[in-house]
């Protein structure tokens, strides 16, 4: 991997990788490897990682592997702390982990206001328990969303999002200390699913490194895609979007009910005229309106593949006028019925 010229003057960002008993550490190792690769590609120390733990002794992970923080990392000295997930099959599993991890929760609670916390999978529950997500939007693993809502009503849960970036108002006064262009570094980020670490780190790198660097790192590290999706959705795959305008459009479309999606509304949100937006999107093979609808239909596909939710519930959650309208639009794009898609792309659900 050939290093790029040392042109960036931005400060090194200190990223703390948090270990705790019962955690799923694979994501932390991937994040560490990716950030190291980015440093080498940039030819500068953009990210510095350290391993953290709320207790000084060795920790047994979910599968029994014993780990111990090899570096003397201090969470309070980090710009960002990353909290991995843990395995849970029931609400009781979550409650048990929250009870056993009180030292970690207390450490997260005591972090300076300037410290951003990134979490994924059920690690989000530990961050929510610390109070650092109060008043913030957040997402987490879909199958425990109801219990999370019951436990942490002060969090604005967005289960339809795979990644949610939410600034805390009290951090705004500290953003000047973080350097220009570091809006994600000064934010809390949550990601859904056990492999949410990949979506999380890609979200960060899209904002923090040049597109060419990110592309090189993705290809040279051969990062896997989190799941197989229908070819019809290739145009709205997050990992394929390097145009900032389309990245902003993606967020708008994901958060807007399907029945309210329109080009004029999208243009207003991202600050361009509808004519300008249409012209820029028409340069590709998909019009602006069709692209927005495709984002929504991909969300339908994601729900079908990763949950047992009935079609009616998916239609209601994503804001379609009714189940029949969603079914017609989905089949027109994919050539598959809702049931056929679920059977073909279901991610290991029994």
């Amino acid at each position: 991997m050939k290093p790029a010229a040392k042109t960036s003057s931005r400060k090194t960002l200190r990223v703390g990788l948090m270990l705790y008993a019962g955690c799923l550490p694979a994501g932390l190792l991937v994040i560490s490897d990716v950030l190291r690769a980015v440093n080498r590609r940039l030819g500068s120390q953009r990210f510095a990682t350290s391993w953290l733990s709320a207790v000084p002794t060795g920790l047994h992970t979910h599968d029994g592997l014993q780990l111990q923080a090899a570096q003397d990392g201090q969470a309070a000295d980090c710009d960002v702390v990353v909290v991995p997930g843990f395995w849970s099959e029931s609400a009781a599993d979550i409650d048990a982990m929250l009870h056993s991890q009180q030292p970690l929760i207390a450490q997260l609670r005591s972090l300076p206001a300037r410290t951003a916390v990134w979490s994924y999978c059920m690690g989000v529950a530990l961050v929510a328990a610390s109070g650092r997500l109060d008043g913030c939007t957040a997402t987490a693993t879909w199958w425990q969303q109801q219990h999370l809502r019951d436990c942490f009503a002060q969090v604005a849960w967005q289960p339809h999002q795979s990644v949610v970036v939410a600034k805390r108002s009290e951090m705004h006064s500290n953003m000047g200390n973080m350097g220009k262009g570091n809006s994600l570094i000064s934010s809390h980020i949550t990601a859904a699913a056990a492999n949410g670490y990949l979506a999380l780190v890609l979200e960060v790198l899209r904002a923090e490194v040049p597109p060419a660097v990110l592309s090189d790192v993705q290809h040279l590290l051969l990062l896997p895609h989190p799941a197989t999706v229908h070819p019809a959705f290739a145009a709205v795959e997050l990992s394929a979007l390097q145009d900032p305008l389309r990245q902003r459009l993606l967020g708008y479309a994901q958060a807007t009910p399907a029945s309210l999606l329109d080009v004029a509304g999208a243009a207003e949100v991202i600050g361009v005229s509808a004519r300008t937006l249409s012209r820029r999107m028409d340069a590709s093979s998909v019009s602006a309106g069709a692209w927005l609808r495709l984002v929504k239909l991909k969300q339908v596909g994601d729900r079908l593949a990763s949950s047992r939710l009935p079609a009616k519930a998916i239609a209601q959650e994503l804001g379609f006028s009714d189940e029949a309208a969603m079914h017609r639009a989905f089949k027109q794009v994919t050539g598959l019925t809702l049931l056929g898609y679920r059977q073909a792309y279901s991610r290991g659900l029994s």
Side-chain angles (χ1 to χ4, degrees):
M1 187 181 297
K2 183 179 179 180
K6 298 182 180 182
T7 58
S8 175
S9 61
R10 292 193 292 182
K11 61 170 285 188
T12 296
L13 295 164
R14 300 162 298 178
V15 180
L17 307 172
M18 182 66 73
L19 295 169
Y20 60 89
C23 72
L24 298 170
L28 295 183
L29 296 170
V30 171
I31 291 173
S32 177
D33 287 344
V34 170
L35 296 184
R36 184 182 301 113
V38 168
N39 286 341
R40 290 184 60 82
R41 174 62 177 81
L42 287 170
S44 63
Q45 185 78 353
R46 181 74 183 99
F47 300 95
T49 58
S50 60
W51 292 91
L52 309 173
S53 174
V55 295
T57 58
L59 301 169
H60 287 276
T61 67
H62 170 74
D63 292 319
L65 180 68
Q66 187 170 9
L67 299 175
Q68 187 163 357
Q71 303 175 28
D72 185 20
Q74 299 296 320
D77 295 331
C78 295
D79 298 312
V80 176
V81 171
V82 185
V83 181
F86 58 86
W87 189 260
S88 66
E89 298 180 5
S90 66
D93 290 339
I94 298 176
D95 294 340
M97 183 62 81
L98 294 176
H99 177 75
S100 68
Q101 291 302 324
Q102 288 302 309
L104 170 58
I105 293 170
Q107 186 178 53
L108 294 172
R109 186 181 297 120
S110 67
L111 289 173
R114 64 172 173 77
T115 306
V117 179
W118 302 342
S119 55
Y120 56 90
C121 188
M122 292 316 302
V124 179
L126 296 167
V127 183
S130 75
R132 297 188 74 87
L133 294 179
D134 289 0
C136 291
T137 52
T139 188
T141 302
W142 62 268
W143 63 80
Q144 299 291 1
Q145 281 289 337
Q146 187 56 55
H147 188 60
L148 292 177
R149 285 195 181 99
D150 294 341
C151 291
F152 309 111
Q154 61 274 41
V155 179
W157 295 105
Q158 295 188 348
H160 58 284
Q161 300 276 28
S162 57
V163 180
V164 170
V165 179
K167 294 188 183 71
R168 291 175 59 93
S169 59
E170 61 267 32
M171 298 179 73
H172 289 179
S173 62
N174 296 291
M175 286 178 65
N177 298 326
M178 306 298 291
K180 293 182 179 180
N182 293 339
S183 59
L184 290 188
I185 303 302
S186 60
S187 307
H188 293 323
I189 305 178
T190 54
N195 56 17
Y197 55 84
L198 185 56
L200 188 157
V201 75
L202 289 176
E203 182 82 7
V204 171
L205 293 180
R206 285 189 186 93
E208 294 299 318
V209 303
V213 172
L214 177 57
S215 178
D216 284 350
V217 169
Q218 284 183 272
H219 284 95
L220 292 173
L221 283 185
L222 301 177
L223 292 177
H225 190 282
T228 301
V229 297
H230 194 282
F233 300 129
V236 294
E237 275 292 281
L238 183 61
S239 60
L241 300 183
Q242 296 186 2
D243 178 5
L245 180 141
R246 295 193 184 216
Q247 293 171 13
R248 293 163 66 192
L249 276 181
L250 181 71
Y252 160 78
Q254 288 178 332
T256 302
S259 60
L260 300 180
L261 278 179
D262 65 78
V263 175
E268 181 179 358
V269 167
I270 66 173
V272 300
S273 69
R275 183 176 180 180
T276 297
L277 175 58
S278 294
R279 185 173 65 251
R280 291 182 61 176
M281 294 295 288
D282 285 346
S284 67
S285 59
V286 182
S287 69
W291 196 90
L292 293 171
R293 290 189 292 273
L294 200 57
V295 172
K296 217 67 200 173
L297 292 173
K298 182 179 182 299
Q299 287 184 293
V300 175
D302 288 343
R303 298 303 183 283
L304 292 170
S306 63
S307 78
R308 301 180 183 87
L309 286 174
K312 183 177 181 179
I314 295 174
Q316 291 174 341
E317 177 190 336
L318 297 180
F320 286 86
S321 57
D322 55 53
E323 179 184 344
M326 181 181 76
H327 185 277
R328 285 195 300 272
F330 192 84
K331 187 174 182 180
Q332 183 178 15
V333 166
T334 65
L336 296 172
T337 64
L338 300 177
L339 177 60
Y341 190 94
R342 176 166 269 164
Q343 292 173 337
Y345 291 93
S346 179
R347 298 169 192 171
L349 296 174
S350 59

